[in-house]
Amino acid sequence: MTYNILMIGKPGGNLVRTYEWHIEALNSDKNGRFRVNDLHSMQQDQVDVRNYDIFWFYAKAFHPSMYHQIRQIRPDAKVICGPNVMLDKPDVGPSDDWDKWYVNNCEPDMHLDQVHFYSEHVKKFLSEEVKSKARCLDKCMKIDDSLYLENSAKLYDCLVYSKKRRYDYNFESFRDKLLNLLKESGITYYEIKAGKFGSYEREDYFNALNQSKITVNLSLDECPGILNYESMFFNVPVIGSRHNVPVNSSDLLYVEDTDYMTEKYLVRKEDAAEKYLAKIKEILSHDTKKLESRKFIKDHTSFASYCARVDSLLRSLYEDSSQ
């Protein structure tokens, strides 16, 4: 079966890359299972909704009227929403008119998030009908192989990724304690600041990855965080929690029991820094190359793997509707 898909809702910022990779991956499928057009690269007179079986609203970047218009014109077609539609404020819930419209009025045939823990948290805001149609779809990725310098000298034990989220109330104390513990332990590090704590250029990040043995993610959460995947691409394992590195090359890299989910959202524990230090020491005592982070992530984010994941989702979509 060939799926004829019209993509709608092109995001801005870093997400635009994942949107473009999504389209490129599906259109390059060796089995020819997908024909994908991007509404945002077409002239209005080029769009004939009769040509599509699936209307895929990728991100919170479309007007609700477009969804209702397509539902009216093509009630027989499938509508997918996600994986970047929920929510700007997961600790608050629907926080603007668009969010409220989505949870109260949008009825997709499939709702997508990227990772399981986030999906389980935000599903409570969905209707029972849409909740039953919630699935997860992780991203694909495309990076120039020449950026990875396999034999570069490792100048730092750790690349520390310091990203403060709006809802991360004890980030500074956690970060400061961990950096002091690293210094006291004679562990060298290079810090990349992001989010509400700073900004960085990807080129600087890639250069630091080539010079580091491991990455330590201090963010409270990532869903799943392209920076994690970029680190693995450079064969630099990522140490973190199951919420800030929800997809990882080895369970050995997880720092367990450093946070917990509340009714509102995640909260970091007070002893997280000590637990991170213990895991950092443990991993640095091993040959990190044996963790094969690069091989894992190249397989996981390859276009071929992504096409297989999408095909599986779409098969289930049509099977569910035939029952």
Side-chain angles (χ1 to χ4, degrees), residues 89-130:
K89 298 180 179 180
D91 57 321
V92 175
S95 59
D96 59 23
D97 289 342
W98 198 98
D99 287 346
K100 292 170 185 175
W101 165 78
Y102 186 79
V103 299
N104 293 319
N105 301 104
C106 189
E107 298 180 353
D109 298 291
M110 181 175 284
H111 166 87
L112 295 175
D113 292 300
Q114 290 190 78
V115 293
H116 180 72
F117 89 82
Y118 187 83
S119 178
E120 288 300 300
H121 177 71
V122 300
K123 276 197 300 188
K124 66 187 176 187
F125 301 111
L126 300 172
S127 69
E128 290 301 317
E129 178 70 16
V130 177

Side-chain angles (χ1 to χ4, degrees), residues 67-304:
Y67 162 83
H68 292 295
Q69 186 177 7
I70 286 172
R71 277 300 200 195
Q72 183 177 10
I73 298 172
R74 289 294 311 278
D76 58 314
K78 301 296 183 187
V79 169
I80 298 173
C81 290
N84 291 296
V85 293
M86 298 244 320
L87 288 161
D88 290 338
K89 298 180 179 180
D91 57 321
V92 175
S95 59
D96 59 23
D97 289 342
W98 198 98
D99 287 346
K100 292 170 185 175
W101 165 78
Y102 186 79
V103 299
N104 293 319
N105 301 104
C106 189
E107 298 180 353
D109 298 291
M110 181 175 284
H111 166 87
L112 295 175
D113 292 300
Q114 290 190 78
V115 293
H116 180 72
F117 89 82
Y118 187 83
S119 178
E120 288 300 300
H121 177 71
V122 300
K123 276 197 300 188
K124 66 187 176 187
F125 301 111
L126 300 172
S127 69
E128 290 301 317
E129 178 70 16
V130 177
K131 192 183 299 183
S132 69
K133 301 172 181 177
R135 303 290 186 272
C136 291
L137 176 64
D138 198 1
K139 62 171 67 73
C140 57
M141 185 174 72
K142 183 178 181 181
I143 300 180
D144 183 355
D145 255 326
S146 67
L147 296 171
Y148 168 54
L149 306 179
E150 183 177 5
N151 298 314
S152 60
K154 300 300 183 182
L155 304 181
Y156 311 104
D157 294 317
C158 306
L159 187 158
V160 176
Y161 181 78
S162 296
K163 182 173 185 177
K164 181 181 180 181
R165 300 286 187 178
R166 175 186 53 79
Y167 39 78
D168 190 352
Y169 299 110
N170 62 355
F171 172 81
E172 285 89 349
S173 60
F174 163 63
R175 169 196 170 267
D176 293 348
K177 183 188 291 186
L178 179 58
L179 294 189
N180 284 330
L181 289 171
L182 291 177
K183 291 174 185 176
E184 292 171 2
S185 302
I187 296 172
T188 59
Y189 66 87
Y190 181 93
E191 186 178 26
I192 290 284
K193 296 181 179 181
K196 291 186 174 297
F197 201 63
S199 61
Y200 67 95
E201 299 294 330
R202 289 182 78 218
E203 183 180 357
D204 295 335
Y205 181 52
F206 290 168
N207 288 337
L209 285 171
N210 276 317
Q211 298 173 348
S212 302
K213 297 176 184 177
I214 59 175
T215 292
V216 183
N217 191 332
L218 305 192
S219 175
L220 186 59
D221 69 329
E222 297 287 346
C223 296
I226 196 167
L227 75 115
N228 291 325
Y229 290 0
E230 290 169 336
S231 180
M232 295 180 218
F233 178 87
F234 282 78
N235 212 25
V236 180
V238 185
I239 287 175
S241 74
R242 294 184 182 270
H243 295 124
N244 65 23
V245 197
V247 177
N248 212 337
S249 56
S250 172
D251 282 352
L252 292 173
L253 296 163
Y254 283 126
V255 192
E256 304 288 6
D257 196 31
T258 59
D259 56 41
Y260 57 96
M261 185 68 77
T262 69
E263 179 64 21
K264 289 190 68 175
Y265 201 50
L266 289 168
V267 176
R268 184 185 291 106
K269 293 187 174 183
E270 291 300 321
D271 62 349
E274 289 84 357
K275 291 176 179 176
Y276 265 76
L277 177 67
K279 178 59 69 172
I280 290 167
K281 288 181 175 180
E282 175 192 338
I283 297 302
L284 286 175
S285 70
H286 294 82
D287 181 357
T288 58
K289 288 185 178 180
K290 290 184 178 179
L291 294 170
E292 296 189 316
S293 297
R294 178 173 163 83
K295 179 180 184 301
F296 166 81
I297 208 61
K298 289 192 75 173
D299 290 343
H300 179 72
T301 62
S302 71
F303 283 6

